[in-house]
Amino acid sequence: MTAQDRTRSSLELLLDISRELATTLDMHTVLARVLDLSVANIGAERGSLIILDANQEPVDAAIVVGGRMLPHTVEQLKGTLSHGLAGWVMRNRTAVLVPDTSQDERWMRREDDSAERTGAKSAMCLPLTARESIVGVLTIVHPEPGVFTDEQLALLRAISDIAGMAVHNAQLYTSLENAHRRYRELFEDSIDPIFVTTLSGQILEANRQAANVTGYSLEDLPKQAVQDLHAVRWDRVGAGFERLAGSLTVRYESELRVRNGAKLPVDVYARRVEIEGAPCLQWILRDISERKDLDALREDLSAMIYHDLRSPLANMISSLDILASLLPLDENDTLKSVFQIATRSTERMQRLISSLLDIHRLEAGQSIANRTEVSIASLVGDALDSVVPMVDTKHLSVTQELAPDLPPAFVDSDMIRRVVTNLLDNASKFTPMNGVLRITACRKGEWIEVGVSDSGPGIPPEAHEAIFNKFTRLHTERMPKGLGLGLAFCRLAVQSHGGKIWVEDEPGHGSRFLFTLPVAKTA
């Protein structure tokens, strides 16, 4: 055969191999075909193809001897890569032609390599690469030494280049299939209803839980639009869902309308995803019935506490007023101290009950009726009087930085006094012995900004919003216990006056609570 004929034959062979490998993406099929074609066309007796993962660890292989596939274990493959020629090729990323295996130290000798049995052999070993990464090692063996030529090595290198891309593509396909299978398992096994819709909201797919909860079959759900099943918060997702872009997940509360007419409270998590290259919307609806029931229970408990404590407390306050006129408090310091403790405790109870009442009224949408022009300095002074005992007990320093000529605020004086008192009370609790409290007030346009600072442990940034929710407390050892209503009342009270309240701090350096109040129009 002339050189031209051999070249033509090699090109035809490579074309045939390319065509055959292009017909499948199954990893085991690819392995078997690459090895069969290599052994058959090189004229070898045996061969192996070891597949590597991204960490250069063996994950699969095909081993053929005398036309028969042999079983193998991962441990056997690791041994071959640790001590054999294939391992040297993998580490050095270099193709090798070994004319005589008995003369090459890199060859891992087995029992049948002895001179009394099969003896010395010829071998070629090449790395399979794809996109500059090694994806496998191909080894071809002939039972006689000195058989393979450089021309055959070049042909095998061309085969390995084609095989490398075929193995890489098969790996990608397997990885994609595994990811798709995991997604399907998560999708179907989720305890939450999940819907996949078009960008206009038409349902394309739903999981089993979606069918169970809504009462619609998996065949009927694609006939629905997601906006037909729950009240979409268009202010959150935008008209036409345009705010669901990129990786942004939008969350809001709504009610899921089920087939029997009932409504189920849900948290909705919506985001844009790509499925098989097509842009879609994914909707996860989480049942919050238990949370709503718990909230209702808390509301009932709060109302019960308010109604059951209000009358006894009024009697206690009246009794203390009568005792104050009958007892010689100025003549007995011990009696006076005990009486002051009782008075402060009833005042604290009264503030808590009033805050509970205000929370109910403000959440119900009732407006503030008792607004008057009030001096910020007098509000701060009254609030400080309420926390004097704790300030004295902990030896706290209090600084006031109230801007001169500060105009009056137009507020409900009792409600805002309790806001300042709550903030000062919290600041006193969180500030360690010999710490510092700071109160500031200044005018900013048509608003007065009031600040209360402490030198306590601070509040983590992720809790800056949550602490203003009802019944929310920070669960740390250094945080005093409470009902978690004080800051909820503060936010409702300030917002009902049109103002804002927020916290600024760095954990470990104290907290600063700020809120704004409207300036009186005559100011």
Side-chain angles (χ1 to χ4, degrees):
M1 180 181 292
T2 65
Q4 186 176 5
D5 290 337
R6 288 197 298 273
T7 300
R8 182 182 300 110
S9 177
S10 297
L11 290 175
E12 290 175 353
L13 170 62
L14 294 175
L15 181 60
D16 290 340
I17 292 175
S18 298
R19 286 173 176 170
E20 188 156 353
L21 292 181
T23 61
T24 181
L25 286 172
D26 177 72
M27 178 62 76
H28 294 289
T29 303
V30 168
L31 290 179
R33 293 308 299 145
V34 168
L35 197 54
D36 283 344
L37 292 169
S38 300
V39 170
N41 288 284
I42 297 298
E45 174 204 29
R46 68 177 73 175
S48 67
L49 175 54
I50 301 174
I51 301 303
L52 307 172
D53 62 14
N55 298 317
Q56 304 292 280
E57 293 291 332
V59 292
D60 202 354
I63 302 174
V64 63
V65 176
R68 185 169 57 90
M69 285 288 179
L70 298 184
H72 61 273
T73 66
V74 172
E75 291 304 318
Q76 290 173 336
L77 301 180
K78 288 183 177 180
T80 300
L81 292 178
S82 297
H83 308 293
L85 180 63
W88 188 93
V89 167
M90 177 191 72
R91 290 187 292 274
N92 292 274
R93 305 170 67 97
T94 304
V96 173
L97 190 158
V98 179
D100 188 339
T101 58
S102 66
Q103 303 300 315
D104 197 306
E105 294 181 353
R106 295 169 297 184
W107 183 257
M108 186 170 67
R109 291 166 177 77
R110 296 178 173 81
E111 291 183 4
D112 68 339
D113 287 329
S114 63
E116 295 77 16
R117 300 184 68 175
T118 58
K121 304 171 181 64
S122 303
M124 291 187 290
C125 189
L126 302 91
L128 270 62
T129 60
R131 299 184 178 181
E132 300 183 355
S133 297
I134 294 181
V135 297
V137 180
L138 175 63
T139 305
I140 300 297
V141 181
H142 192 279
E144 297 178 6
V147 173
F148 294 138
T149 65
D150 289 337
E151 186 176 350
Q152 288 175 309
L153 180 63
L155 176 60
L156 193 61
R157 183 180 282 112
I159 293 175
S160 68
D161 288 341
I162 298 172
M165 287 308 302
V167 169
H168 178 66
N169 291 337
Q171 287 177 324
L172 291 178
Y173 177 76
T174 301
S175 177
L176 182 62
E177 284 288 291
N178 291 338
H180 184 68
R181 185 177 65 257
R182 287 194 298 270
Y183 171 78
R184 292 300 310 179
E185 290 171 353
L186 291 172
F187 182 76
E188 291 298 343
D189 295 341
S190 173
I191 62 173
D192 299 317
I194 302 177
F195 302 91
V196 177
T197 73
T198 64
L199 297 183
S200 62
Q202 185 65 39
I203 294 175
L204 298 171
E205 193 173 6
N207 66 349
R208 287 191 295 264
Q209 187 67 357
N212 294 337
V213 172
T214 62
Y216 292 97
S217 68
L218 290 174
E219 291 74 26
D220 289 336
L221 279 172
K223 301 173 185 177
Q224 308 279 337
V226 72
Q227 51 266 46
D228 297 332
L229 295 179
H230 83 286
V232 175
R233 285 280 303 275
W234 298 107
D235 59 316
R236 301 298 305 276
V237 301
F241 307 113
E242 72 268 8
R243 291 187 184 174
L244 298 179
S247 58
L248 176 66
T249 297
V250 174
R251 174 192 171 277
Y252 58 86
E253 285 190 17
S254 185
E255 288 185 326
L256 177 64
R257 307 183 188 104
V258 300
R259 192 166 193 170
N260 63 9
K263 293 183 178 180
L264 185 72
V266 291
D267 264 344
V268 179
Y269 299 85
R271 68 188 183 104
R272 184 166 174 160
V273 296
E274 279 199 9
I275 297 179
E276 297 180 356
C280 303
L281 300 179
Q282 181 191 71
W283 305 79
I284 301 176
L285 279 61
R286 184 157 298 160
D287 185 355
I288 56 173
S289 299
E290 290 186 2
R291 192 178 84 194
K292 289 295 185 182
D293 291 342
L294 183 59
D295 288 344
L297 183 62
R298 284 172 170 167
E299 297 292 340
D300 293 342
L301 179 61
S302 299
M304 181 188 70
I305 291 173
Y306 165 69
H307 290 294
D308 288 354
L309 292 183
R310 192 179 187 187
S311 295
L313 183 62
N315 292 335
M316 292 170 61
I317 293 172
S318 299
S319 299
L320 288 172
D321 290 340
I322 295 172
L323 286 173
S325 63
L326 297 177
L327 296 175
L329 300 179
D330 293 334
E331 301 174 7
N332 189 321
D333 290 341
T334 301
L335 184 62
K336 184 178 181 179
S337 176
V338 171
F339 190 84
Q340 288 175 340
I341 291 173
T343 301
R344 287 195 299 267
S345 296
T346 54
E347 289 174 350
R348 186 178 179 85
M349 286 286 293
Q350 192 172 37
R351 285 199 305 271
L352 175 60
I353 291 173
S354 297
S355 296
L356 279 171
L357 175 61
D358 285 336
I359 286 174
H360 284 289
R361 288 196 302 109
L362 296 174
E363 285 185 331
Q366 295 184 28
S367 59
I368 305 298
N370 302 318
R371 291 196 188 196
T372 58
E373 294 186 7
V374 180
S375 164
I376 295 297
S378 66
L379 288 178
V380 170
D382 292 344
L384 278 173
D385 289 341
S386 301
V387 298
V388 163
M390 184 175 292
V391 168
D392 291 343
T393 300
K394 299 179 73 173
H395 305 291
L396 305 180
S397 300
V398 180
T399 61
Q400 296 187 53
E401 300 174 14
L402 309 183
D405 302 323
L406 196 64
F410 189 61
V411 296
D412 181 322
S413 61
D414 178 63
M415 187 177 291
I416 299 303
R417 183 183 297 107
R418 282 186 280 118
V419 169
V420 180
T421 301
N422 276 339
L423 294 179
L424 281 171
D425 191 46
N426 284 345
S428 302
K429 291 177 183 176
F430 294 136
T431 300
M433 295 289 291
N434 302 308
V436 178
L437 301 183
R438 179 168 163 259
I439 307 165
T440 62
C442 62
R443 179 169 183 168
K444 291 197 172 181
E446 297 303 310
W447 299 91
I448 298 171
E449 183 181 276
V450 182
V452 176
S453 305
D454 63 55
S455 53
I459 299 171
E462 62 270 17
H464 282 189
E465 285 295 325
I467 57 173
F468 291 102
N469 297 330
K470 285 192 302 181
F471 308 108
T472 298
R473 292 174 293 144
L474 295 180
H475 298 285
T476 65
E477 294 182 359
R478 293 184 295 175
M479 298 298 180
K481 305 302 181 184
L483 292 176
L485 291 173
L487 290 178
F489 160 72
C490 291
R491 179 168 68 174
L492 285 169
V494 170
Q495 289 179 344
S496 67
H497 286 82
K500 299 183 297 182
I501 184 169
W502 66 99
V503 62
E504 298 175 352
D505 76 336
E506 294 181 11
H509 299 282
S511 303
R512 187 185 186 203
F513 284 85
L514 297 135
F515 64 93
T516 56
L517 300 171
V519 171
K521 295 300 181 182
T522 56

